[in-house]
Amino acid sequence: MMSELKALFNRLLDHFGEQGWWPGETRFEVMIGAILTQNVSWLNVERAIDNMKEEGIMEPGAIRRVEKERLQELIKPTGFYRQKTERLKRLVRVIERYGSLDEFLQIEDLRSVLLNIKGIGSETADSILLYAADRPHFVVDAYTKRILERRQGIEGNYQEIKSIFDEELEESVPLYKEYHALLVELGKNYCKKNPSCEGCPVRDGCSYGEGSEG
Ligand code: SF4
């Protein structure tokens, strides 16, 4: 029997279509985006990434060399720009320790290495693993937690929610990539803080939505 989470994926895909995530021209840009998007909407991240590209610093060596103050100015649209500048500088220092970006992305214990970088938590690390390194790590964000809690009454910490997806889905990088993107789409458009259950494409079978007025 198809798992509930796989069935949910199929319904979301039917409704929203393929999302083709993550936005980014290169794997390095995906990694930068994963850090810059912490606590801010993607539109702000796009502005910061455009600034960095115009400055010609979308590669590890250039980020290491650029003055901190200049980098702060370029990524200002993303908020928390001082902390994020430190995070980017720390990330490229670690990447360079392993030689090239390719070598870095191939290291066996990449998840622990990423998590050891101050300012990189589970969600950012898994975003990098899945979308930049093409490794099967499901990304759990606030939308994922909210949707699972409302639809299935499932609550848990990051690792617990991640394990549920790991257990119920076949291990597949394209599936994990697409699923996370579709949950973001559902969260942004319907399963918001104040949810718009009426018209939600997966209201049927949702314990919260079926009991709500709108
Ligand atoms: S029906 Fe409502 S609570 Fe359920 S997933 Fe849709 S928007 Fe969220």
Side-chain angles (χ1 to χ4, degrees), residues 27-47:
R27 295 194 295 168
F28 186 64
E29 191 182 316
V30 169
M31 296 170 77
I32 299 302
I35 289 180
L36 294 182
T37 198
Q38 294 168 338
N39 304 307
V40 74
S41 81
W42 187 255
L43 275 182
N44 300 49
V45 177
E46 279 178 348
R47 285 169 55 204

Side-chain angles (χ1 to χ4, degrees), residues 49-86:
I49 285 182
D50 286 347
N51 290 347
M52 289 175 72
K53 283 181 173 170
E54 271 172 35
E55 190 88 355
I57 57 162
M58 196 46 87
E59 54 100 9
I63 291 185
R64 172 174 42 79
R65 288 187 298 271
V66 69
E67 296 278 332
K68 272 186 191 173
E69 293 69 23
R70 182 64 188 141
L71 187 51
Q72 286 173 4
E73 271 174 50
L74 296 170
I75 67 167
K76 210 165 194 169
T78 67
F80 307 99
Y81 53 91
R82 286 195 187 86
Q83 289 107 307
K84 288 180 181 174
T85 292
E86 295 303 326

Side-chain angles (χ1 to χ4, degrees), residues 147 150-151 186 190-192 195-198 200-204 206-210 212 214:
I147 293 164
R150 287 178 178 163
R151 278 191 61 80
L186 179 67
Y190 298 97
C191 213
K192 302 169 276 193
S196 311
C197 297
E198 198 178 302
C200 170
V202 292
R203 185 177 191 177
D204 186 24
C206 173
S207 18
Y208 184 103
E210 285 183 335
S212 74

Side-chain angles (χ1 to χ4, degrees), residues 64-145:
R64 172 174 42 79
R65 288 187 298 271
V66 69
E67 296 278 332
K68 272 186 191 173
E69 293 69 23
R70 182 64 188 141
L71 187 51
Q72 286 173 4
E73 271 174 50
L74 296 170
I75 67 167
K76 210 165 194 169
T78 67
F80 307 99
Y81 53 91
R82 286 195 187 86
Q83 289 107 307
K84 288 180 181 174
T85 292
E86 295 303 326
R87 284 169 200 172
L88 295 182
K89 291 268 185 191
R90 279 195 286 267
L91 173 68
V92 298
R93 268 202 302 273
V94 175
I95 292 173
E96 292 191 328
R97 220 180 282 152
Y98 288 87
S100 66
L101 181 64
D102 282 346
E103 283 168 305
F104 175 72
L105 290 174
Q106 280 167 23
I107 57 179
E108 210 174 311
D109 56 345
L110 183 56
R111 191 168 197 269
S112 347
V113 171
L114 287 167
L115 288 173
N116 272 331
I117 301 174
K118 195 174 159 212
I120 294 192
S122 301
E123 185 184 332
T124 307
D126 286 337
S127 302
I128 291 174
L129 284 157
L130 181 62
Y131 291 101
D134 283 322
R135 301 209 196 174
H137 283 270
F138 201 89
V139 178
V140 177
D141 67 352
Y143 290 131
T144 315
K145 288 186 182 160

